[in-house]
Structures are given as structure tokens and as C-alpha cells.
Amino acid sequence: MQLTVWTYEGPPHVGAMRIATAMSGLHYVLHAPQGDTYADLLFTMIERRGARPPVTYTTFQARDLGTDTAELFKTAVIDAHARFQPQAMIVGASCTAELIQDDPAGMALAIGLPIPVIPLELPSYQKKENWGAAETFRQLVRHLTQVVERSPMAGRRPSCNILGPTALGFRHRDDVVEITRLLQRMGVDIHVTAPLGATPADIARLGAADFNVVLYPEIAGEAARQLEKMCGQPSVRTVPLGYGATIDFINEVCALTGLDPAPVLDGVPSRMPWWSRSVDSTYLTGKRVFVFGDATHVIAAARVATEELGFEVVGMGCYNREFAREVRAAAADLGLTALITDDYLEVEDAIAALQPELVLGSQMERHIAKRLRIPCAVISAPFHVQDHPARFSPQMGFEGANVLFDTWVHPLVMGLEEHLLHMFRDDFEFSDEAGASHLGGHSAAPQASVQTPAPAPVAAEGQPLASTEVGTVVSEIVWAPDAEAELRKIPFFVRGKARRNTERFAVEQGLATIGVETLYDAKSHYSR
Amino acid sequence: MSEAFVLDRPAPTGGCAETPVLRERGQREVFCGLTGIVWLHRKMQDAFFLVVGSRTCAHLIQSAAGVMIFAEPRFATAIMEEKDLAGLTDTNDELDRVVDRLLARRPDIKLLFLVGSCPSEVIKLDLSRAAGRLSEKHSPAVRVLNYSGSGIETTFTQGEDACLAALVPQMAEAPANAEKSLLIVGALPDVVEDQFRRLFAAMGIGRVDTLPARKIADLPDVGPNTRFLVAQPFLGDTARALEDRGAVRLDALFPFGAEGTTDWLHAAAMAFGVDELKFRAVVAPGRERAARALEKVRPALEGKSIFFFPDSQLEVPLARFLSRELGMIPLEVGTPYLHRTHLARELPLLPSTTRLSEGQDVDRQLDRCREARPDLSVCGLGLANPLEMEGLTTKWSIELVFSPVHGFDQAADLAELFARPLNRRDRLSDAIVPARAARREAASCN
């Protein structure tokens, strides 16, 4: 048993729902107890969908247990087919139905519907949401895609499938638009985009494209492998997330198709490189960043952070174990050990110990960072309603690079603002009590008075499970009052780091008390 | 009798007491009882709710609790894994380990609920024995109880019923010569509970307790001299458990709106022999305030039709309030479970034209709703946006369980919850959502 408050991923049948909801003409009959329909509201609320997900639940209750549940399932399949007239159907069990051992696959096939019915085996007690989505997509390809002869690519426009975007995907809607435009400008036709917006008939004709673009390896990696095997289609696996990765992606597509990359690279395809080189960005140099989320977004974000914004990545990790190897390798390149965990308390401990200046993560890290008073931007699912925006905001391609720059730099204090804060730090408007406007600080509690060690974690309603004293490495070290006062002259957004460095320095020097001198000795020791 | 004072207007002829109920089975678009944890833990300040279930259970609570999940709330899920099911580990040992770890981290917890889920019920994990064993182990610091919030046994608010019913055996036996006491049953927001306490005190009712109490140490005793008022319509099992302990239920309308609140308070006044004039004097200011405030909302709702999808069992009392005090027309009132005894005073007050439905086949019910084209549909968040896209105005029902809505001083707030979506519909130009406007036009032509 695993003690859990927050879970980064839902169960695997929610992954299957993400595929079904992304598509049209496909219906999912889920053998599940009353209550599992809660998952509908993820789609109708977070994504604001104006239609119910194409999912029928059997919603069995205690009185139905026994042979009755099998009958319920059959009725649900027949009714769903009659009402929704789908082109194809997927059927399976949720975690509870898995235990009662009705056989959805066998029962659905026995009904003999005139459409393809694809059974799903999603082991709920081992696997999670992303795996469920990947497996569902793979099974659709395996059952529906037809193998066709393709003419040689030379002498005509090449075509590709874009694979991986789903419902409830982080910015999938806009990534598809951006990458579709990019490929079309390169001279590549989009054959099918799937699962988002596709029908089962579209899945059937996937095999006619020249190659596949795997936008989200977590979801489309397995399906693309299946297509390689069945139809001999090569896959482009560079994820075009970030300016450099987009260039690499273009080059990979061109190498595969023989197209010339020059037309799309000419001119100024993205403002990001110049924004990052303009003098106001000098202050971003060496900003210490912690990156956490799904593997694909984390690996891409770490590259953007180091190569394109000049940050220093001080910690990185992911919650989806299936891609742990890739994240470990990317972390090793930066001299780091990856944190692979789905326990948010471990992530919180890591962030508290590292005291980064920026956190890039999911909704969960946003809340951890808020509590630790560290700026943060969201780069990955799980996300909440505000990260499914009305405006165009891709993460991928050249416009995506622009979006990343704005989104990540916004929570940081910009260069000029930081300079002014230093100049006027004793001014009443910039005092601690004024709070941090860029953190939405109007609601933040005033920092502790001089007598109590600052900074203390704020905005923690109720008692935290993990009471990590933020930034305190060794608690037995005593701060002299004058050193404590001096520490408080340092702006709050770097004070945590200063406290941590000074204490570490004191430990190394074997000091029991930290005075003003120790503070500046440590500053000089750690100056970069 | 004081019926004329208690009820604002005469009961409609016939009412809904004898109306045949449409009973349906099929897909039910409802929450399971685990969701009750989200508001129960706020009320019971030294309790922790540990769900023994699957990742789906954890995901459900997280989705229902929204932002609250980040405040380090007093609930969590012990997720069963493959090895627990395959018998590779002793599930009871695993549970003990998880509970030990939890209690070591949260020494402030005095009451721990092991909450059963569908998976734990289906594999027949004996949580009541586990609770007994763990109670012994952690006594006297922590009491460990259990109840089921599973979807196979409970619908949404029934989770609270199961939880409170589990608390009843923990209440001490009141001595036979105990002073007559009043017990308010159902978790109410503190502000509402305090208002009711003030009113009862003004009537001269000496001892008023609540179930649940804010702290486990304050759990009241119970016996034949206990009279209890049920504040929520979904507490059937809890009421039965209290009656088994000798307590006597006071029959009343549920305290929604001026009329419902007056009737509810009046039931207690009668049971405690409060002088009729004194009762009137005590309730008059609140009742007039409520009536005045409701008059302001009335124009927005009067004559508007309303359709309730089943959700919380609050549907019948709310339909009664909206039809009698605000002039709305209930077309269909769906409820997950129709408790006739507890609704005995409510049903006759519904217009006899109202269709009552119990249970659900969601697709068929949606067909009826589209056919009826009500001005307002009360439904869950899984249906609300899709119905809005079809041009139907909705009020999402879960808010009715989370917001303070009982009593005189919340009556207008409650009405406002229904008036706001209609107000918004009128403010926003239809031209902005062409598809939606076209649908609405097509519908009105039919």
C-alpha cells in the first residue's frame, strides 16, 4: 500500500478516456462502479468541453454484484451502440471491475456488433494514466490500421502523421496547430493527426503516410513503434520543444524527406534568441532552476533552461517511471542525479533543500513553490483550468519558444526591476512587508519579525505533513542578532539561498555562531 | 394549531405525496460517497480520513477537492497495489504500517476513519476488524473507526450518512434521568450552526448538541431523552442508528428558506414545550429578514421552470423551497434515493404536476430534459457545460452542498445561487456563441 494525498497521474482507464475523448466516432464502454463518472468533469471543466466524453459507464452497485454485472455490461454495450452509432468501440474494466472478473472482451465480442470492438487490458493496480493512453492508442492502431503500398517519396510532396495529442494534454491543441503550420511550410502534407480530431476511419488509413511525427512519446511512442513494425513507417522522434529542438526537428524531417530546411529557417522564425540575448536578460544568467514534470517536458525544459536562457539547472526529475531512463541520462549530462518519484512530498523536500530561484513544474510544483515563496511556471501536466487557456499558447515550435520565454521569465523579477529593488531596498515600498507583487503577494502574510528566523513557509493552511524548515540546513547553528538583521537586508527572493549558503559555510568552517562577518565570508566563498 | 404561522401558504391540492415515482436503472452520473470527506474533514477538526482504495479513489478525491488538496488536508488514500491483491503481502500488516506512519506524522489526530471503497469492499477487506485492532493499538490517543464511502454502496452525500452512523455507537449512553436534550444531526457550516444555537437558546431550550461535533472529545451522549432534528435529507442510516439508541426524531421540513426553517425550528419548539408566542417572537426577526431578502430575488425566478438531475438528495426540499417561496415550476425532481419517511412533510408541498424520479438512466433523463427545455437545469459538472452548449442554462449542483444554504439568513443566498446563471444568461449576448444561439433558436421554433 502506498500512502497518497496527491497523485500526478490518474488510473489507466482515464488515459483511455483521453484517447476516446480526443477522437470522434469512437465510443468507450467502461465497466465501472457508480461514481467513476467523476472523470467526465476533468474534460468538461478543465478543458471546458461542450460535449460529454464519449464514455458509457455500467455504474454497477452492490446489489448488482454477482452474475448481474455481466448482463449490465452487455446491455450498456448494446445501448451505447444503438444510441451513439460509433464507427468503432473500445471496451474495458476500471479498477473495481478488474476485481470482479467479468470478461469485457469476451462479452463484447459475443454480442457481435457490426463494428470493430477493441478490448483493452489496463492493469489498474500496476499502471497509470499515461500508460493507459499509450496502450489504448497502440491497440487502436493494431486493430484498425491497414497496411498499404506507398509510392516512392521522390518527385512529390511527402506526407506525415502527427501522433500523440490527446484530450487533457498540456497545450496539445496549440502544439498541433504550430507544428502543422511548420511542417506545411517545409513542404510536408499532414496525412492524419491522431488521436486528437481523428476518427477510427482515420486510424485505418494511417499507414498511407510516409512517416510519423511523435509529438508526445508518453502517448504515441508505442503506437509509432507498432506502425514501424506493421507499415514500415519511420518516426521522427525529436520533440520540437524549445528553439534548438525545433531546429533539430526541422533538420531531422529534412534528412528523412530530402527537403531543404533553409526556407523555414530564413529570416527571424522566433524572437526568443534575440530576447534572450538582449541586455535585460543578463540577469537571468545562472539563475538556479528546478525542473519537474513528465519526462518529455522536463528533458526539453532542461535544455531550454541551460542552452537558451542561460539558467543553471540544479535539480530535475519526472513522475512517469516509464521514461526514467531518458530523464536520468539528461540529468547525468548536466551532472545531476534525476529525482524519479510520484510522491510529491519528496519533490517538496528536494525543492526546499535546493532553494532554487525558479521552479518549472506541474500544478503541484506551482503550489509547492507558492508555499516556499519561490517563483514558478507550469511546463507539464497535471495542470488546472487556468493552464488550458483561451489564447493561442503552444509550447512547441518557434511560437512555442516565444511562449516559453515569456512564461518562464514573467515570474522572475526582470533585470531592471531587480536592479531598482537593490537600489531602493530600504524604501518602504520595497520592504518585506510590502510583499512580492509578482508572486501575487497581496495575499502573502508579512514576513516574520526580526526576532524570529525568516523566511518561514507561508500560506500553509492546516498543518503540513512534512514540516521542512525552509532553507535551514543545520538547525543547531545560531544566528547572532546583528547577522540576522543583516540577512534581512537581502531581498527576500534571494534570502533563502543566502541563509542556506551561509549555514553550509558555517558548518564547513566548524562555526557554532553566525555573525555578520560569517555572512560576508560565505558570500565571498560562494560568489560566482 | 400554528400551521398557519409555520407554512407561508396553503399546501397545494394533492401535492406529490401520492404521485407515482419514475424509478430508473442505467448509467448514473453521480459521485460516490468518498466525496463526503471533502466537507466532513473541515467540520471534524481532529479527524483524519484514510481511504483504503485504488488510484482511482485518490484521483476522485483530488478532482473533487480541487485546490483544497494543497492545504495539507486531513485526508489521504492508501492505494492498494498489485502485491496487496496477489496476497504477496498481508494487507492488514500493510494497513498497520501505513496507519503507524500516518499517526507518527500527525500527532494532532484524535480520530481516524478507515474509509472503505469499491475495491476494498469487493475484495472483502475487513476494515471494521482492522479499525478495532488499530483502535486498541493506538488507544487512548487515537480512536479508529470505519465506514464505507464506496460507489457500489453510497451516492455522494450518503458518505456523510455512513460516517455519522459510524459515530453513533461511540456516543456515550445518557443516564435515564438525563435532562431532555436537542441534537442537530448533519454537518453544517459553523456560521449556520451558530445561528441555530442562538435561536434555540432564545427559545429556552437548555442543551443543544451536534452530530458531528467539532472535536471527538465533544461527542454528545444519547438516550431516550434525546430529541433530534435532521438538518439534511440524506441521513437515513444515522437517524435509524440514533433511534436504535432510544433517541426520538422530530418530523419537520428541512431548514431551507423562511418556511422550511420556521417549520424545522417549530418541531423542536413543540417537542420542548416552548410557548407558541415565545416561539413566534424568537423566529419573527429572522423570518422577516429572510422573506424581505427573498422578495428581491423572486422576480428573477418566478414562473421559471426547473429540472433537477439526481445528485445529493437535497433535490426535493430545494424544489419545495423554490416553488413555494420563489414561484418556480419544478418539471422533474430527480433524486438518487427517495427517503419517504424523512420527506413526509416535504412531498405534499410539491406541486402535483411535478415528476418525481429516483435513480437514473442518464441518457434517457437527458432526452427528457431536452424535450422539456427547462429554464434552469440543476446537474453535476459532467453535464453542465455540455447542456450549456446545447443552449440550456444550468446550475451546478455540488455548490449546494458546499455553500452555507440552511436557515433564515442564508435563504436569499440559496435563491441567488439559482438566479445567478439566469442573470448571466440574460447579460451575455448570444451573438458571441453562434452555434449555441442557433441551437436555441432552432429549439424555440419547434
Side-chain angles (χ1 to χ4, degrees), chain B residues 402-422:
Chain B
F402 286 91
S403 310
V405 293
H406 298 73
F408 290 131
D409 290 308
Q410 284 67 238
D413 300 343
L414 176 57
E416 176 61 27
L417 290 179
F418 294 92
R420 196 174 299 139
L422 293 169

Side-chain angles (χ1 to χ4, degrees), chain A residues 364-386:
Chain A
M364 193 58 219
E365 283 68 45
R366 200 169 73 85
H367 283 267
I368 293 171
K370 185 174 168 191
R371 182 161 170 167
L372 301 178
R373 289 175 61 100
I374 299 171
C376 178
V378 173
I379 59 157
S380 159
F383 58 95
H384 205 52
V385 62
Q386 69 270 36

Side-chain angles (χ1 to χ4, degrees), chain B residues 40-266:
Chain B
L40 281 171
H41 88 283
R42 302 302 306 166
K43 188 69 193 177
M44 300 156 82
Q45 295 165 5
D46 51 4
F48 194 101
F49 294 77
L50 180 65
V51 177
V52 182
S54 64
R55 181 168 303 281
T56 311
C57 307
H59 198 232
L60 158 91
I61 298 178
Q62 172 172 319
S63 308
V67 169
M68 211 188 275
I69 195 97
F70 304 106
E72 288 292 351
R74 282 171 284 104
F75 56 79
T77 309
I79 296 185
M80 294 192 287
E81 297 167 298
E82 189 71 6
K83 58 182 196 283
D84 300 308
L85 300 170
L88 295 177
T89 49
D90 186 318
T91 318
N92 285 310
D93 292 346
E94 279 290 291
L95 189 58
D96 290 8
R97 183 182 62 79
V98 166
V99 168
D100 288 352
R101 181 171 167 223
L102 178 68
L103 292 178
R105 289 174 86 140
R106 298 295 299 264
D108 50 322
I109 298 306
K110 303 277 182 285
L111 174 62
L112 174 67
F113 284 104
L114 303 179
V115 188
S117 65
C118 301
S120 73
E121 298 290 330
V122 166
I123 66 165
K124 303 209 185 316
L125 185 58
D126 193 341
L127 288 183
S128 79
R129 251 179 61 192
R133 183 180 68 240
L134 286 162
S135 235
E136 215 163 278
K137 182 173 174 185
H138 295 283
S139 163
V142 184
R143 240 188 277 192
V144 185
L145 302 176
N146 100 288
Y147 72 90
S148 171
S150 73
I152 57 177
E153 286 161 319
T154 57
T155 305
F156 195 29
T157 48
Q158 282 179 317
E160 176 172 335
D161 190 23
C163 173
L164 301 190
L167 276 174
V168 173
Q170 300 295 313
M171 299 167 83
E173 188 70 43
N177 60 351
E179 176 202 1
K180 202 162 154 187
S181 69
L182 178 64
L183 180 64
I184 304 171
V185 184
L188 294 171
D190 288 351
V191 57
V192 176
E193 183 187 316
D194 293 344
Q195 288 168 9
F196 285 147
R197 283 180 178 279
R198 281 197 295 273
L199 288 169
F200 289 129
M203 288 180 213
I205 297 176
R207 186 181 143 193
V208 180
D209 300 311
T210 59
L211 180 68
R214 292 180 205 186
K215 304 256 177 166
I216 184 64
D218 300 332
L219 193 67
D221 57 17
V222 65
N225 291 320
T226 307
R227 299 290 173 274
F228 69 96
L229 266 179
V230 183
Q232 302 277 27
F234 45 75
L235 297 172
D237 287 351
T238 308
R240 201 169 313 120
L242 287 166
E243 281 163 352
D244 289 347
R245 305 267 325 250
V248 177
R249 185 177 69 88
L250 305 176
D251 199 24
L253 291 176
F254 289 95
F256 300 112
E259 187 177 68
T261 304
T262 306
D263 190 66
W264 190 77
L265 295 169
H266 190 246

Side-chain angles (χ1 to χ4, degrees), chain B residues 266-283:
Chain B
H266 190 246
M270 287 198 297
F272 284 78
V274 177
D275 176 75
E276 195 63 28
L277 284 176
K278 185 170 190 182
F279 170 75
R280 291 187 188 202
V282 168
V283 299

Side-chain angles (χ1 to χ4, degrees), chain A residues 1 4 34 40 62 64 461, chain B residues 25 28-29 71 77 94 152:
Chain A
M1 276 182 201
T4 314
Q34 166 174 272
D40 282 358
D64 304 318
E461 293 174 42
Chain B
R25 280 185 76 177
R28 297 173 69 131
E29 186 86 16
T77 309
E94 279 290 291
I152 57 177

Side-chain angles (χ1 to χ4, degrees), chain A residues 15-16 18-20 22-23 26 90 118 120 122 130-145 161-166 192-196 198-199 202-203 206 212-227:
Chain A
R18 288 177 55 186
I19 303 291
M23 293 177 59
L26 180 73
I90 51 179
I118 300 159
L120 299 174
L122 305 176
N130 277 320
W131 188 91
E135 172 65 8
T136 304
F137 191 27
R138 187 181 78 89
Q139 291 295 348
L140 285 174
V141 166
R142 199 169 76 84
H143 282 86
L144 299 178
T145 304
N161 300 312
I162 295 180
L163 303 183
T166 64
V192 171
T193 299
L196 193 63
T199 62
D202 292 329
I203 302 289
L206 280 175
N212 291 313
V213 169
V214 180
L215 272 200
Y216 306 100
E218 274 88 349
I219 289 150
E222 289 301 310
R225 250 183 289 279
Q226 185 78 33
L227 285 165

